[in-house]
Structure formats: C-alpha cells, structure tokens
Amino acid sequence: MIKKYNKEMRFFTSKAIAHSTIVELKNELETVKHTVDYWFGMFKNRAFGEIKDGNLSYAQWKDIYIKNGWLEVPEYRCFCNPKGVTNSDDWAAYELDKSYLNIWKKWYQYHERWKFRIAKLESERFDIRRIEELTDITINECLLAILGLSPSIIGKTGFEKLI
C-alpha cells in the first residue's frame, strides 16, 4: 500500500527485500566462481604450468614444449606428445593455450568486480533521497530501488556504469 505524506507518495522498503536481494546476488556470484575455477583449471596445466601472464611469445612457449620432449608440428604452430596421441591433452596449440589464460582472466575480473559491488551494496544503508531529489531517474536507480538496494551508491567506485 502506498501512503500519502504531505501530498507526496513515499516509497517504503523492507530490510528483508534488501537482504534477500543480497543473498540472491551472492548465490549468483557462487555460480560465477565455479566458472572462474573451471577456466583456471583449464589453463593452469597448459604449457606444463609455466604460463604466468599473457606476454608469453611463441618462441618462449615453443621452448617450454621442446624442453619437455614434445614434437613440433610447425605448419600448425602446435606440439604433440611423442608418446602417442590418445586424447586432446596430447596436443598443444599456442593460440589455444593463450585463449585459456585470457578467458580465465576475464571471468576472474568479472567475479572480482561483482564481489566488490555486492560488498558495497550490502554495507550501504538504503537511502531513497537521491531519487526524491531528481525529476527523472535512470534505469539503474530504479532497478536498485525496486530490489531494496540504495540507489545512492550509483556514481561511487565500482558503480560508475552498472548496466
């Protein structure tokens, strides 16, 4: 029910709405964490665990496989395990190894950004004054208010561009 106060409509929110929104966001973040862990597992053993950053040149990558006894297939810029190819782990391609690292980095950055945002949302006390002071509100402000989260957080670190 909407109550009138000084001829204005007032928006009331419950701590329960904010709490359930934060719980749902944390649950979704756990799903993202599983994806981060999956891609970390995919790249951590590539090049025998020696890929540490995205600046590994083809020559450096090639040296890793040569020193571990793998055979080069130069026309495809890849290596194969000399003990016999029985599964996909017996092949290594430079671009594939780099892509696993890049995909993991992007998911990790996404996870860390939302972990920070959720912590800020959780600690920010609900404040509707920002919306009351404006004649127009953005979709971001509206979404946060509907979810029981403080729209005053928009514009602060981590919330420059939410959607």
Side-chain angles (χ1 to χ4, degrees):
M1 177 197 298
I2 298 174
K3 297 183 180 182
K4 293 219 178 218
Y5 178 76
N6 289 339
K7 298 181 183 181
E8 294 179 24
M9 293 190 330
R10 294 288 180 181
F11 179 78
F12 291 92
T13 185
S14 156
K15 287 185 180 182
I17 295 171
H19 177 73
S20 64
T21 299
I22 296 295
V23 168
E24 284 300 316
L25 288 171
K26 285 182 175 180
N27 288 340
E28 290 300 318
L29 194 61
E30 273 302 307
T31 303
V32 172
K33 178 70 170 119
H34 291 301
T35 304
V36 170
D37 293 343
Y38 170 80
W39 285 108
F40 181 76
M42 292 297 288
F43 106 84
K44 76 177 181 176
N45 294 322
R46 300 305 295 180
F48 304 93
E50 293 189 39
I51 297 177
K52 302 299 181 212
D53 60 33
N55 299 327
L56 191 68
S57 70
Y58 178 75
Q60 293 167 317
W61 176 84
K62 179 178 165 180
D63 290 342
I64 292 169
Y65 280 95
I66 289 173
K67 84 175 183 189
N68 283 284
W70 282 45
L71 301 174
E72 184 179 15
V73 184
E75 59 270 18
Y76 297 111
R77 287 176 59 118
C78 69
F79 278 81
C80 67
N81 188 343
K83 297 178 180 130
V85 178
T86 57
N87 61 46
S88 62
D89 291 335
D90 292 331
W91 286 93
Y94 177 64
E95 294 300 326
L96 179 63
D97 285 2
K98 280 183 32 178
S99 69
Y100 283 141
L101 174 63
N102 291 335
I103 293 168
W104 170 76
K105 278 183 179 181
K106 290 298 178 191
W107 275 107
Y108 178 78
Q109 290 168 351
Y110 179 78
H111 178 266
E112 290 302 301
R113 197 171 299 125
W114 273 100
K115 189 165 86 173
F116 173 78
R117 286 175 177 167
I118 292 170
K120 294 272 287 191
L121 286 167
E122 192 171 28
S123 66
E124 186 82 8
R125 192 171 88 43
F126 187 85
D127 185 1
I128 198 72
R129 286 178 292 178
R130 178 178 177 140
I131 291 178
E132 290 177 337
E133 293 167 356
L134 303 171
T135 55
D136 294 322
I137 62 172
T138 67
I139 189 75
N140 293 334
E141 291 164 330
C142 183
L143 175 64
L144 289 177
I146 289 170
L147 294 173
L149 303 171
S150 184
S152 64
I153 200 145
I154 294 173
K156 295 183 179 177
T157 303
F159 290 90
E160 294 84 6
K161 293 181 181 178
L162 183 58
I163 297 176

